Amino acid sequence: MIRSELIQKIADENPHLYQRDVERIVNTIFEEITNAMARGDRVELRGFGAFSVKKRDARIGRNPRTGDSVEVEEKHVPFFKTGKLLRDRLNGK
């Protein structure tokens, strides 16, 4: 499912809301999650999962084409851990 499909589904299930309002709500939710992660905060949605940022240390990598050693800088990457309810639902429990 992509963002526009999510917006359309929410709008269809809530005919009392205008689509532009639903779009604004969905965009605000994603922006707040993104902003919190950019600050290094953890975002937890109970039953769904938790978004966090993990730090990857600098390391020596290898260029797969040439085999040369390459310095890979330290970086921060997004991480998502599923919640128990979501995990159970995916596994048919």
Side-chain angles (χ1 to χ4, degrees):
M1 176 178 280
I2 59 176
R3 184 185 298 219
S4 60
E5 292 172 342
L6 175 64
I7 292 168
Q8 188 61 50
K9 182 151 178 74
I10 293 171
D12 290 346
E13 291 181 4
N14 297 281
H16 61 284
L17 295 174
Y18 291 112
Q19 180 153 349
R20 67 178 179 268
D21 294 335
V22 173
E23 188 171 346
R24 193 174 303 131
I25 291 166
V26 170
N27 288 338
T28 301
I29 291 169
F30 287 138
E31 284 175 26
E32 287 303 314
I33 291 172
T34 303
N35 291 340
M37 290 178 68
R39 291 190 306 268
D41 296 340
R42 182 172 183 268
V43 178
E44 182 176 336
L45 304 172
R46 295 278 171 157
F48 183 71
F51 298 92
S52 60
V53 178
K54 290 205 173 200
K55 180 181 155 213
R56 297 244 172 106
D57 292 330
R59 61 185 172 83
I60 302 294
R62 199 161 290 288
N63 182 334
R65 185 175 295 180
T66 63
D68 294 341
S69 292
V70 179
E71 293 237 356
V72 179
E73 295 180 3
E74 169 188 290
K75 60 184 171 182
H76 294 86
V77 294
F79 179 75
F80 178 74
K81 182 176 181 189
T82 57
K84 186 175 182 336
L85 289 174
L86 178 60
R87 223 177 8 258
D88 289 347
R89 190 163 183 188
L90 291 175
N91 290 312
K93 294 182 182 177

